[in-house]
Structures are given as structure tokens and as C-alpha cells.
Amino acid sequence: MGFTRALSAAVVLLGLAAAPAAADSSPSASPSGDGDAPTTAGTSFRTATEFEQGRAATASGAAGDYLYWSFPADAGQRPTVKATVKLPETHAAQTWRVDVYDGLRRRQACQWGAQARTADAGTSSVELACVLRTVRAWTEPWANDPLPGTYYVRLTAVNVPTSDLGVPVSAEVRADSKDIGGAAAVDGSLAEPLVPGIAVTSGTGSASEDDEDDRGAVLSAIEPEDGWSSGWWSDRWVWSGIGAVLAALAGIGGYALTRGSGRPTRVPPGA
């Protein structure tokens, strides 16, 4: 009996000692890497809030406000911008729209996606999406192709009834990209990506510019994880090299099959 009690006490002590270790090995409730995601939005292109691809940016605003964010996109990427707007319980019908602009502030057309949607009265949320064309490393000056650099997201409600102006809303924006690779590669590249302040930091800014403009032209602090690509390298070089090797092997094989056994045997005269 005494041995049984001692054994039970030992098991209880071992359980208490193992409890902290088990607690330490459990998933932590501390904030993840998304804790530094922005929670505000700008009100213009110059004050657009930067966020990284793959992370969600949130903000609180009101119906009728213009909310601006910005993110980097590099050559060979096909960005997809998604936005979710949460509306109050009581509201009239509202039409929300998301627009995406490149570093030159040219509005980029969406290949597909619900760029604008109407939230009927009583709808709790509305979801928007815009899939852009593939970002090109270089393009003709007259073309409107998306170029590497900063992209701006503008979220707003259009034709808001007067009764709903100023109604509080909350928004979430996220941008993700699909790497297209050499299929979208072109010859040539930009000297610098189209990011805010790149002209001033590169020494092209004029000394006669207004001081306020110089202070506002701050180089964008966010860039792709692997840095900006040079634009000349893509996987099409690999496939071009493989094609050249196969063509050379085919030429050698064809020559070996058609050359015959060599020069004909010379027959002596009078034989």
C-alpha cells in the first residue's frame, strides 16, 4: 500500500514538472510577423501608406473618403489587388470601387476581377478584386504598359447618398503577385524603378525646385524581397541555351547520317 502511494505521488510530481515544458512547446499567442502591417491609409498619392505584398493593410475611414495605399511590383510579376470593405448595420446602397495606378500615376486597367460592386442596404461587407497585366521591364513611351516600381491603390465609394456621407467603415487591402517569368520578358529595362523620390535621389532634381517639394520627395522605403531586378535576365535565356544545344546536336547527327562511308576507293588503271 505504501509503495502504491509513493508511486502515485511520484507520477503527480512528474506531471507538474512536465506541465511547463508542454506549455512552452505550444504555439505562442504573441503577434506574428503581420503585427507591423499598416493600420492607416493615406488621403492622396503623396500620403499613400506603403505595405508589402503578401500582407494585409487595414484602415478605418468614412463613406465618401479616398483611401490610398502603395506597394512595390517588379518586372515579370502579375499583381492581384483585393479589397474588403466592412459596412455598418444600417446604410443605403453604396457602390465601392478600387483603382490601381502605376508609378507614373496612370490608371491601370484590370484584366479581370470585380473592380466595382454595389452593396445593397443591409449588406455587411463588399469584396473587390483587380488582376493587373504583367509588369514589363521596359515599354514604348506611347504605351500604357505597367512598369516596375510603386503601385498605388485607391479605394472609395462612388455616388454615395447624402444620408451615408461620413458613415464609418473599415477596409482591408492585400496585394499578391504571380511570377510569370520569361514568357513576359522584353529586351531592355528602365534605368531606375518608378518609385517616389527616385529622380531627386539620383541627382536629377533641379536646385531651383521648391524646398517643400524636395522634402516631400522621399525615396520609397519598400521594395521587393529580392530587390529590383535588372530587367535583362530571365528564364528565357535558359530555354534559348537549351534550344541552341539541341539544334547543334541535331546538326551533328544529320551530318553523321548523310556523310556516307568516306571517299570512294580508287581503282588502279587496267584492273
Side-chain angles (χ1 to χ4, degrees), residues 162-206:
T162 305
S163 59
D164 276 2
L165 287 175
V167 171
V169 297
S170 60
E172 179 180 297
V173 174
R174 182 184 178 92
D176 297 282
S177 288
K178 179 181 179 180
D179 190 4
I180 304 302
V186 295
D187 294 328
S189 62
L190 297 179
E192 297 288 350
L194 300 175
V195 299
I198 192 64
V200 175
T201 57
S202 299
T204 59
S206 174

Side-chain angles (χ1 to χ4, degrees), residues 200-213:
V200 175
T201 57
S202 299
T204 59
S206 174
S208 61
E209 292 178 347
D210 187 75
D211 293 341
E212 183 179 354
D213 293 338

Side-chain angles (χ1 to χ4, degrees), residues 9-266:
V11 171
V12 171
L13 292 175
L14 289 174
L16 293 176
D24 294 340
S25 62
S26 61
S28 175
S30 60
S32 62
D34 294 339
D36 56 351
T39 56
T40 60
T43 57
S44 66
F45 287 102
R46 292 177 61 86
T47 61
T49 300
E50 296 181 336
F51 71 97
E52 297 179 0
Q53 290 196 40
R55 292 188 177 183
T58 59
S60 298
D65 291 345
Y66 285 90
L67 306 178
Y68 286 83
W69 294 270
S70 64
F71 66 93
D74 204 0
Q77 294 182 342
R78 179 183 293 167
T80 298
V81 177
K82 296 182 179 180
T84 302
V85 183
K86 296 182 179 179
L87 305 172
E89 296 180 358
T90 305
H91 64 84
Q94 299 179 8
T95 300
W96 285 83
R97 180 183 179 90
V98 61
D99 294 295
V100 184
Y101 300 80
D102 64 4
L104 297 177
R105 300 184 185 179
R106 303 175 302 179
R107 191 177 73 84
Q108 293 295 321
C110 302
Q111 289 192 111
W112 59 81
Q115 186 178 4
R117 276 185 173 177
T118 300
D120 296 330
T123 304
S124 60
S125 64
V126 58
E127 297 183 356
L128 309 171
C130 176
V131 180
L132 300 176
R133 294 173 295 168
T134 304
V135 179
R136 296 165 59 91
W138 180 84
T139 185
E140 296 290 345
W142 48 263
N144 193 36
D145 296 322
L147 296 171
T150 298
Y151 280 74
Y152 298 92
V153 180
R154 185 179 72 182
L155 180 65
T156 187
V158 296
N159 300 326
V160 182
T162 305
S163 59
D164 276 2
L165 287 175
V167 171
V169 297
S170 60
E172 179 180 297
V173 174
R174 182 184 178 92
D176 297 282
S177 288
K178 179 181 179 180
D179 190 4
I180 304 302
V186 295
D187 294 328
S189 62
L190 297 179
E192 297 288 350
L194 300 175
V195 299
I198 192 64
V200 175
T201 57
S202 299
T204 59
S206 174
S208 61
E209 292 178 347
D210 187 75
D211 293 341
E212 183 179 354
D213 293 338
D214 291 341
R215 288 194 300 268
V218 179
L219 186 64
S220 176
I222 294 183
E223 63 180 24
E225 293 183 359
D226 300 331
W228 298 104
S229 63
S230 61
W232 69 271
W233 170 258
S234 65
D235 56 5
R236 70 172 181 168
W237 290 100
V238 177
W239 293 108
S240 298
I242 294 175
V245 172
L246 293 177
L249 293 177
I252 295 173
Y255 173 75
L257 292 174
T258 59
R259 70 173 182 172
S261 59
R263 298 178 63 182
T265 305
R266 179 176 296 180

